[in-house]
Amino acid sequence: MKFIAITLIVHAPDPLTQHKVSTYDRFQQVIANAQLAEELGFDAFGVGERHERPFISSAPPVVLSHLAARTANIRLFTAVTTLSLLDPVRAYEDYATLDNLSDGRLELIIGKGNGAAQRELFSVTTDDQWDRNIESYELFRRLWREDKITWSGRFRPPLENAEVWPEPLQRPIRVWHGSATSRESVDVAARYGEPLFSANVTNPVEPYAELVRYYRERLAHHGHDPATAIVGAGTAGYYSTPRSQDAYRVYRPIFEANLGFQKSLGMQPVFTTFEDYVERSSALIGSPEQVIDKVHRYHEQLGHSVMHVHADASGLTDAQHRESLELFQSAIAPELRRAIPDPAWPERSEYQA
């Protein structure tokens, strides 16, 4: 199994202290967390893309380019690249540049994104966002593979024997398809035989597992072997200590504060008690043994071989955050790596002739 530390770069007050750092300091935290993930042996670090409060992750190519310069080996993910909002030509230029600057460490998770504010910013509607996402990806995919391209579509001007630069380092690049609640992204992933990354955060596992089963059915329909499918999955939170009682004691007030914050934003949380959150959500809270058991239970439903954990402290102290991630790598990750086979995970040398 492989492990990704992911941040959406939430810029909000600490759930317990209510202290809010400056924008500058929040980005410094992202840098420090990426370096910590590399130091501790995580396989990848991911940065989301959002265009509304309380996130400041509107420019992932910029952030990931900086992280590429501040790290050496860890793979760098987008989580997700919102192609429904972007000009695919410009997105290609940004990410092909980043691919070179990162020595071929880039991987893309693409998706339509969500949120009313970002749709308004980019004049995208609920009626056309899926069509935009699919059309943009089809063009983006061709740009990554072809030196010259002739193309026409609904949402941007046509291209006639166009050249788009720079040439990427990885050709092709592995692209994952982010999946939350709809079948559209699953259909696109299955059509091309490309990996699926299940959000697996907001709800219990059942609806996500249903989409993953559908993904494998559609893979077979399109002539791909479902047995070779690569599936990733998210987690709703992570905090582990040697004794479960200590993990619960520390994390309960964080959960309750986050619950209040979500309600203040007008959200309707699915898990309204700490006990239900620990039991039925994908959050990994407890002793290493409990975390390992829960991942196995989710693996039975999803068959995933890549998993993300939150890169941010999110209410924990810096010491608690580091100690918990250290425990993950010393007591949890080795067992999961032994028990769950790795996905096909290309080495950087495969891209460098």
Side-chain angles (χ1 to χ4, degrees):
M1 196 172 218
K2 298 290 187 182
F3 303 101
I4 307 174
I6 283 181
T7 179
L8 300 181
I9 321 185
V10 174
H11 191 216
D14 180 278
L16 296 184
T17 68
Q18 293 303 301
H19 173 65
K20 183 177 180 180
V21 302
S22 68
T23 298
Y24 173 85
D25 287 337
R26 183 68 186 93
F27 280 120
Q28 296 306 305
Q29 291 174 347
V30 172
I31 297 166
N33 285 331
Q35 292 173 321
L36 176 63
E38 179 166 73
E39 174 192 338
L40 296 181
F42 281 84
D43 299 287
F45 189 88
V47 174
E49 181 177 336
R50 298 291 188 276
H51 298 274
E52 58 191 333
R53 191 187 302 268
F55 307 100
I56 54 172
S57 51
S58 58
V62 179
V63 177
L64 289 170
S65 291
H66 188 73
L67 296 182
R70 300 292 293 269
T71 59
N73 298 301
I74 196 167
R75 294 191 70 79
L76 301 170
F77 271 67
T78 65
V80 301
T81 296
T82 54
L83 279 180
S84 65
L85 309 179
L86 306 176
D87 182 330
V89 174
R90 188 71 182 113
Y92 166 81
E93 291 173 333
D94 285 343
Y95 285 112
T97 300
L98 172 54
D99 189 38
N100 282 279
L101 293 176
S102 67
D103 297 326
R105 289 188 280 145
L106 175 65
E107 298 213 20
L108 299 166
I109 308 177
I110 66 105
K112 71 167 180 60
N114 52 38
Q118 63 185 24
R119 287 195 297 268
E120 293 169 3
L121 285 172
F122 294 94
S123 298
V124 175
T125 71
T126 54
D127 294 329
D128 68 20
Q129 60 186 353
W130 280 113
D131 290 340
R132 285 178 178 272
N133 186 64
I134 293 168
E135 179 181 292
S136 292
Y137 179 57
E138 289 172 346
L139 175 54
F140 183 92
R141 192 174 191 273
R142 287 188 59 192
L143 289 168
W144 206 280
R145 286 165 167 76
E146 301 175 27
D147 294 325
K148 293 184 178 181
I149 185 169
T150 297
W151 174 92
S152 64
R154 290 173 55 197
F155 301 109
R156 62 149 288 126
L159 301 173
E160 181 66 34
N161 204 29
E163 297 181 359
V164 186
W165 299 99
E167 180 180 337
L169 180 58
Q170 302 178 81
R171 200 173 227 184
I173 190 171
R174 179 160 58 182
V175 176
W176 304 67
H177 296 260
S179 167
T181 59
S182 301
R183 289 189 169 194
E184 284 86 346
S185 56
V186 173
D187 281 319
V188 177
R191 183 193 315 166
Y192 291 113
E194 293 172 335
L196 187 75
F197 212 108
S198 174
N200 192 41
V201 168
T202 306
N203 298 297
V205 69
E206 289 78 14
Y208 302 114
E210 180 181 350
L211 282 173
V212 171
R213 287 192 294 271
Y214 175 73
Y215 166 62
R216 291 193 167 95
E217 292 170 3
R218 297 304 293 171
L219 279 171
H221 172 79
H222 288 290
H224 306 292
D225 183 1
T228 64
I230 302 175
V231 175
T235 56
Y238 164 71
Y239 182 60
S240 184
T241 58
R243 298 193 326 145
S244 60
Q245 300 94 319
D246 295 328
Y248 297 160
R249 174 181 52 80
V250 169
Y251 209 83
R252 181 186 293 273
I254 296 173
F255 166 81
E256 292 173 348
N258 285 329
L259 185 67
F261 178 67
Q262 291 172 33
K263 290 179 178 178
S264 74
L265 296 177
M267 302 171 63
Q268 297 296 323
V270 174
F271 309 104
T272 57
T273 69
F274 180 66
E275 288 73 19
D276 192 34
Y277 175 73
V278 170
E279 176 61 28
R280 292 198 307 125
S281 84
S282 61
L284 306 174
I285 312 297
S287 67
E289 293 77 14
Q290 289 171 309
V291 169
I292 291 167
D293 177 69
K294 193 169 194 179
V295 173
H296 279 298
R297 285 191 279 120
Y298 269 72
H299 179 72
E300 290 174 2
Q301 295 271 355
L302 301 171
H304 60 306
S305 55
V306 177
M307 186 180 78
H308 92 52
V309 298
H310 289 259
D312 301 312
S314 302
L316 300 169
T317 66
D318 289 343
Q320 290 169 333
H321 180 51
R322 183 184 182 98
E323 288 168 2
S324 182
L325 291 179
E326 288 175 342
L327 186 63
F328 185 91
Q329 288 293 0
S330 64
I332 297 170
E335 174 58 31
L336 293 175
R337 291 187 196 277
R338 282 193 296 269
I340 300 174
D342 280 351
W345 196 264
E347 298 296 331
R348 288 163 60 190
S349 61
E350 294 182 26
Y351 303 118
Q352 297 174 347

